[in-house]
Amino acid sequence: MNSGRFKGRVALVTGGSRGIGRAVAELLSQEGASVAVNYRARAEEAAAVVEAIRDQGRQAVAVKADVASRPEVDAMVEQACSALGPIDILVNNAGLLATGTLLQYEPDEFERMWRVNVNGVLHATAAVAPSMIEKKYGRIVNLSSIAALGTAVPETTLYAATKGAVQILTKRFALELGPHGITVNAVLPGLILTDMVSEGHTEEEMQRRIEAVSRKSLLGRVGEPGDIASVVAFLASDESGFMTGQFLTADGGRTDLLTHA
């Protein structure tokens, strides 16, 4: 149902051309927001999201930028604001997953993942914060992961480190921006069926992974992008106006956390 809870708001969704980002962009628009859909390389996919939003009678624009680059992010925010108006809602969704272990990982891959997953959150937040501070309003939602809580999934240690960094940035940005009426929260998804998690895996491998994770879930299933979009929308709305510096886990009730040991 279109509740209109984002009527008059402008949202920027990084990594918005597919997966969770696309689901978030489309849900925010369905509920009234104008949306800037960020992409790095998938121009056609971003254009399709924009077209879908416009078909609903909402405003949207595709904005290209590598979030690892502060100059590109600054230009992206300027373009989004010029097209739609000042950003009210920032969803830091863009991310990479590179696997590896302590004794076997690719330093270049880890550095790239850090620049996107961590520096990207810093760059985008710093770029939108001044206008949010000026109008004394803002909603910032970061996408972390239950990996940051310590899931017992092999070869995700370095990815978990980047998502742990996102969580401390969430807390610290909430501290810095709270006095200006800006909330900063994070969503921690479990396994969500997106292109990112299936890349490099055969259909058979993915099916085995889905079944294995489903057995570790209290709800007996893995997640869909819409499961996360709904949580993001709550944190982006005025309904969560008295929440900041918080982490909401959406993982179906996973039981494979190291903290359970």
Side-chain angles (χ1 to χ4, degrees), residues 198 200-208:
S198 62
H201 297 282
T202 66
E203 184 175 339
E204 184 179 350
E205 288 171 340
M206 276 305 299
Q207 188 58 40
R208 285 199 299 267

Side-chain angles (χ1 to χ4, degrees), residues 79-159:
Q79 180 185 352
C81 291
S82 177
L84 303 175
I87 306 299
D88 300 294
I89 300 164
L90 169 65
V91 181
N92 282 310
N93 168 75
L96 291 178
L97 170 58
T99 58
T101 67
L102 171 64
L103 300 181
Q104 188 175 19
Y105 72 95
E106 293 294 334
D108 289 345
E109 288 185 0
F110 173 66
E111 289 173 12
R112 171 65 183 163
M113 183 169 59
W114 186 275
R115 290 196 302 270
V116 172
N117 294 4
V118 183
N119 294 1
V121 171
L122 172 62
H123 295 159
T125 304
V128 304
S131 65
M132 288 183 174
I133 290 172
E134 184 176 348
K135 61 189 173 186
K136 293 287 185 181
Y137 181 89
R139 295 284 184 269
I140 298 170
V141 185
N142 299 325
L143 271 293
S144 180
S145 168
I146 62 167
L149 301 178
T151 49
V153 179
E155 300 186 6
T156 59
T157 297
L158 302 182
Y159 173 73

